[in-house]
Structures are given as structure tokens and as C-alpha cells.
Amino acid sequence: LVRGLENSVTNILSKNNKYNDGSGVYYLFDNFKQVLDLPPATVLEINKKGLVDLLSRGEVYHAMTMRDESNLPAELLSSPEVIEAAKQGMSYLLTDNSGIEHAQIIVDEFQVPAAVVIDVAKQRIISELYGNSISVSSVIEIKNAFNLPIDTLSSPEVLDAAKQGMIKLIIHG
């Protein structure tokens, strides 16, 4: 029964459906916890799965609500699974330049390590430069938003992407 409930609640917490409005789901989960007297380890695992799913989809405000309402321990928030989910969420948000602000919130609220931030931002910059239409303003916006060190922009990968992007632009107009 507990395993079935865990799966059901995890699905509700992690799916973008009519039941997932950002706060009502957490209230529902609290009721399940209290009625069934779930063990703390089960509750923690369910919360972790929900947080990882929300973060990986870039749903930063729902992830923050879950973190705050669940009183998740610091060691869980700095776990490799949560850091990887934050990285995925940032990558997803940066595919649309309007998501830069939300990606910054993930960095600040979930204390994403600098190396992860640099890696995600660098990959997005490479994609921008390599794309069909080079957007220098997007590259500058990403560089400034995440305070990237100059050596990130002068790395061989970024310089190669800029070179290939310029060649593509010259050839194809």
C-alpha cells in the first residue's frame, strides 16, 4: 500500500497536470502523510523525486515551494541528483533566452556549483554561436547573467563555434 501510494503521490507531484497547481499538491501530499503515517524516509524520498522532476523541467517556483514546504535537509539539496536536475532545468530554460532570469533563480536558490553554471552557460553559448542565426546579444546576455569568466568565452570550443557560425553566416547569408 505504501509503495503504491508513494508512486501515486510521486506522479502527482512530478507531472504537469491539472492537480499540480504549485501548492494544492503539497497540501494533498501532507494529508496522505498524516492519514497513512508514512515513514520519514519514504516522505523524504517522495519529496526528493518531486523536487528533482520539477527542477529538471525548469519549474523553479514550484520547486522552491516544495523545498520550503517540505523542509528538505541541506544534504539532500546538495545531492548529485538535485544538482543534475538543476543543470537540466537551467539547460532547458536557456534554450529560450526569456528563461535566463529563471535559470538565475535556480542558481541562486539551489546553490548550483559554479562549475555547473559555467558548463551549462558555455554549452548554451556554443549553441547560440553554432546556430542558424548567430545572436551575439544572447551570448552577451548569458555571459553577463552568469558572470562568466573571460577564459570561458576564449575557450577552444567557444572560439570554434564562433568561427563555424561566422563561416555558415558568410556562406548562407
Side-chain angles (χ1 to χ4, degrees):
L1 176 64
V2 170
R3 180 60 56 196
L5 175 65
E6 178 181 341
N7 290 338
S8 296
V9 172
T10 300
N11 285 336
I12 290 171
L13 287 172
S14 65
K15 298 295 182 219
N16 192 9
N17 62 38
K18 66 181 180 180
Y19 301 109
N20 190 350
D21 68 354
S23 61
V25 167
Y26 311 112
Y27 174 75
L28 174 67
F29 179 53
D30 280 342
N31 286 336
F32 277 130
K33 282 191 318 195
Q34 292 168 7
V35 169
L36 294 176
D37 193 29
L38 295 174
T42 300
V43 172
L44 187 63
E45 186 61 29
I46 291 170
N47 283 325
K48 180 180 175 183
K49 287 179 182 178
L51 179 67
V52 163
D53 188 70
L54 290 169
L55 268 177
S56 67
R57 291 187 285 127
E59 296 195 24
V60 63
Y61 293 112
H62 288 164
M64 288 167 49
T65 300
M66 174 172 259
R67 176 201 61 198
D68 296 344
E69 290 185 6
S70 301
N71 295 319
L72 297 174
E75 60 271 7
L76 183 137
L77 295 173
S78 61
S79 71
E81 299 92 346
V82 173
I83 298 300
E84 180 60 30
K87 181 178 179 179
Q88 290 174 7
M90 288 177 58
S91 294
Y92 172 77
L93 290 166
L94 289 177
T95 59
D96 176 15
N97 288 336
S98 64
I100 290 174
E101 182 180 319
H102 287 105
Q104 284 178 297
I105 293 170
I106 289 177
V107 170
D108 295 340
E109 289 290 327
F110 292 93
Q111 297 155 356
V112 179
V116 172
V117 174
I118 290 170
D119 182 53
V120 170
K122 181 177 170 182
Q123 291 308 313
R124 184 60 199 147
I125 286 172
I126 289 170
S127 293
E128 269 309 315
L129 293 171
Y130 231 177
N132 289 331
S133 60
I134 297 175
S135 175
V136 175
S137 63
S138 294
V139 170
I140 292 169
E141 189 175 358
I142 292 167
K143 175 205 167 289
N144 292 338
F146 298 104
N147 298 316
L148 297 178
I150 194 69
D151 63 330
T152 300
L153 295 177
S154 60
S155 71
E157 304 93 347
V158 173
L159 293 176
D160 185 54
K163 179 180 166 185
Q164 294 300 320
M166 289 303 294
I167 290 170
K168 190 187 303 185
L169 187 62
I170 291 169
I171 292 172
H172 300 292

